[in-house]
Structures are given as C-alpha cells and as structure tokens.
Amino acid sequence: MSIRESTQRLVSFDDVTVNFSQEEWQQLNSAQRCLYQDVMLEIYSYLLAVASLLTCGICQASGQIFISPDSLTGVERYRTILTLENVPEDVLEYSWYRDVDNSTENMIFSYNPPNTRHPGPLYTGRENVTRAGSLVIRRSALNDTGYYTVEVDTGNGTQRATGWLEILKLKSNPGISANASANASVLVEGMDSVVAKCLTNSSNIKWVSRYDHNLQCAIEDFPEILQRSEEIPLSVAYGPDYVSLWTQPDVFNGVLTAVTGSTVQLECTCFSRPEPKYHWIHNGSLLSVSEENMTLPSLSWEQMGSYRCIVENPETQLAFYREVTIQPPRPLPAVHREFSISGSLVIFLIILASLGSAYVCGILVYTLIIFCSIRRNRA
C-alpha cells in the first residue's frame, strides 16, 4: 500500500483507542481505571462530534434540517434540548419519535403551531416541543440515551432528521481536605495559612471561596454544571481596618468647635473581625466608656480638651486610634484705631495755621482802617 493510500484510509474507533486484556485490566488500580474511562469517553465524544459536524455540513449545504451536534449530549437529572437547525418557514407540524423509525407507536410528541400539542405513546410527561421545533427533555435519565427522529411537515413536503443522544452520568462530588490550620478556631489574616486539596480525578477543578468565610472546591466536567464538595468553614480574624472618628458637629483639622451647654457626639468606626474593643481617653485619663459611641449631652468646661478613641482586636493583637480636640469658639479680637501725624506734617500745619492767622488779622486791620476813613470823611 502506498503512502498516499495510507493517508487517505478511513480512521476507525479502534485506531484511536487502547484495549486491555482481562489480566491487564486487573493490574490497573482504581485511579488508572477512572482515567482510562475518562479518556475513552472523551475520544468517543470527539469522534461523535466530528461525525455530527460532517453530517451538519452536508445538511446545511443541501438545505435539509438537522439536529445540532452540540445538543446530542445530555447529563443525568438535567434538562436536555435537542435543537433543530435549518428549519424552513411556515411549518405545519413537528413530530418527534424515539428511535430511527417514525412509526406511530414510537411517537413522543407532536406540535402544530401555534398552540396545538399532542403527546404520543412514548410520552413520559418530561418532554415538550418548543415553538422552533426543538425537543426538550426535563430531568434526563440514563435510559433516554438512544436515537431520536424528528419529522417536519411544511405542506410542500416532509423532512426528517435523526440523531443519537447520549445521556451521561455525573461523577460523584469531589471531596476536600485541608491542613490542621483550617480546623483552628480562628485564623489571623496575613499570618496563618491554609493548604487544601480537592479529592477528585477530574482535571477541571475550580476553587470557591467567599470572603474567606468558607473553602470549597468544585469540578466542571460539563459546561455550567458545577459539582461542589463539602464546605470547610473558615473563621478569619482581621482588622481593625479603616478606623475613623466621626463627630457632630463636624471636625475641622482635628478640632471640634462647640459652645458650653451644647450636645457633642463622637463615634468610632472600623472594619474588624471579631468585633473590636473600644477605649476612650480624655486628656490622658481613661474613661469608663467601652462602646463605639460617646455622647456629651451638655458640654461643660471640664469636658473640653483632647479625646482619643482606641480600637483593639484581641485576636490579631492590633490596635489603632483616632483623636479630636474639643474647644470653645475663639472671641473676635478688638479693633483699636489710632490717629498719628508725622513731625514734618505737624510743622507744615503750624506754619499753615500761622499764615492763616496773619492773613485773617491783616484783613481785619484793613477793614478797620477803611471803616475809620469813611467816618472821618463824613464828619
């Protein structure tokens, strides 16, 4: 046989599989047997997909209906939809049958658009036909595996399509194990570590953890179907983080201005697990308040000064604080206006006043002389 002939030879299922004798099979352990079964199942699904794609290509080119290859694999206990493709318009009736024979005793369901539906002899109560002609099987079972045939009546003729549906059984849910740290009563963030292992033969493993409250693994051997392990609860201590001191009235640059007799509210907030302990210090003296809120209903002079809120997490052994100073409003400074004149200006004013006085005296003397002259002339 030439090289060209050998490359054009059809590939059979036996060419891509490995067969064990009874003695060889007995020598394999359970993990090796599971791996062999997984590989054989994967190879089978690939060959089935290739065959279906070739069939689909021929059907699409010829304008014939066909069952989508992607819908020919289902999972036990989940919904399976045999999707009908290349459907012509104005269909009068869709009829689905179990097996390749479209005899009446093999009918599952028929649908006459838009609203007429007729169950057949093989209807189990789990089947339905969509408006697009696809067959829906709810709560698929392993015995649903087999050939399915659809017959489409368009009025101008009838088209048929057949596909093999394989219903697969899910593997058992994975297990999970963790080191001794995971069983500790409290884990400290940034200090303790947890090592976990997902107990499964599947290669598609996902880890599920929500805010470090629990640890869980899952396998996804089929799209969008997660098989989860048991949860390992985690108690992670963290914080205190984002410590803030809120006040009413508002604080500005660390100073809260309030008049005596007014109400002042202080609130210390943070993110912490477990709940932190609060300590309040006033002017260096520890107060008896152990809550996150402190209210001064009628502020007095003795309550003025510095306040410090200390937040402590006993598990992480971390403590942070924020502080504020309460003080009365500052009085407005008195404005003193002074009038001053320079020495040169004083001299100038004195000279100006002297000249003005001489000028006024001259006018008075002149007026007196004129007045006396007038009286003398009259006499």
Side-chain angles (χ1 to χ4, degrees), residues 44-118:
Y44 173 77
S45 62
Y46 286 157
L47 292 177
L48 184 63
V50 171
S52 300
L53 287 173
L54 292 174
T55 304
C56 295
I58 297 173
C59 293
Q60 285 180 328
S62 61
Q64 293 292 315
I65 63 171
F66 64 93
I67 302 173
S68 174
D70 295 334
S71 66
L72 290 175
T73 302
V75 180
E76 184 185 17
R77 301 194 309 273
Y78 286 83
R79 184 179 64 174
T80 302
I81 301 178
L82 295 178
T83 306
L84 194 59
E85 302 284 358
N86 219 23
V87 181
E89 297 181 355
D90 301 327
V91 174
L92 299 180
E93 184 178 12
Y94 299 96
S95 300
W96 281 90
Y97 301 88
R98 183 70 184 267
D99 213 341
V100 296
D101 184 13
N102 61 338
S103 59
T104 304
E105 59 270 17
N106 289 338
M107 177 181 286
I108 303 172
F109 210 91
S110 69
Y111 168 55
N112 301 87
N115 297 317
T116 306
R117 304 174 187 271
H118 300 285

Side-chain angles (χ1 to χ4, degrees), residues 277-293:
K277 294 181 178 180
Y278 296 91
H279 309 283
W280 290 90
I281 296 178
H282 175 225
N283 292 334
S285 299
L286 181 65
L287 301 179
S288 60
V289 181
S290 60
E291 302 294 332
E292 65 269 27
N293 298 316

Side-chain angles (χ1 to χ4, degrees), residues 102-323:
N102 61 338
S103 59
T104 304
E105 59 270 17
N106 289 338
M107 177 181 286
I108 303 172
F109 210 91
S110 69
Y111 168 55
N112 301 87
N115 297 317
T116 306
R117 304 174 187 271
H118 300 285
L122 297 185
Y123 175 70
T124 64
R126 298 179 292 114
E127 298 86 1
N128 198 2
V129 178
T130 66
R131 292 182 179 273
S134 301
L135 179 65
V136 179
I137 304 175
R138 294 178 289 111
R139 300 188 306 277
S140 301
L142 293 178
N143 58 10
D144 290 328
T145 298
Y147 283 105
Y148 287 80
T149 299
V150 60
E151 188 175 75
V152 178
D153 184 6
T154 61
N156 298 324
T158 301
Q159 295 187 30
R160 292 179 58 194
T162 300
W164 173 269
L165 173 64
E166 183 77 20
I167 301 298
L168 304 177
K169 184 178 181 63
L170 287 175
K171 298 179 181 178
S172 58
N173 290 342
I176 187 172
S177 64
N179 62 347
S181 297
N183 299 322
S185 58
V186 177
L187 301 170
V188 178
E189 182 185 44
M191 296 180 59
D192 296 326
S193 61
V194 175
V195 179
K197 182 179 181 181
C198 194
L199 307 177
T200 179
N201 293 323
S202 176
S203 58
N204 194 358
I205 300 175
K206 294 185 177 182
W207 287 95
V208 183
S209 179
R210 176 168 295 179
Y211 308 118
D212 290 338
H213 291 173
N214 57 65
L215 191 62
Q216 185 182 49
C217 72
I219 59 175
E220 189 177 12
D221 290 333
F222 302 96
E224 300 181 359
I225 298 179
L226 285 179
Q227 294 178 259
R228 302 173 181 265
S229 69
E230 295 182 355
E231 292 185 357
I232 296 180
L234 300 178
S235 179
V236 180
Y238 59 85
D241 298 330
Y242 308 107
V243 179
S244 301
L245 182 56
W246 302 93
T247 66
Q248 183 63 37
D250 294 333
V251 65
F252 180 73
N253 288 337
V255 176
L256 186 153
T257 302
V259 298
T260 56
S262 63
T263 300
V264 175
Q265 294 180 346
L266 306 176
E267 180 181 3
C268 209
T269 62
C270 70
F271 292 93
S272 177
R273 183 178 181 186
E275 288 295 324
K277 294 181 178 180
Y278 296 91
H279 309 283
W280 290 90
I281 296 178
H282 175 225
N283 292 334
S285 299
L286 181 65
L287 301 179
S288 60
V289 181
S290 60
E291 302 294 332
E292 65 269 27
N293 298 316
M294 185 172 66
T295 301
L296 306 176
S298 181
L299 185 65
S300 63
W301 285 105
E302 292 77 12
Q303 292 174 326
M304 297 287 183
S306 174
Y307 285 84
R308 175 177 292 185
C309 172
I310 301 176
V311 185
E312 177 189 7
N313 188 325
E315 294 293 343
T316 62
Q317 299 181 359
L318 295 176
F320 297 94
Y321 70 89
R322 293 292 183 269
E323 60 184 5

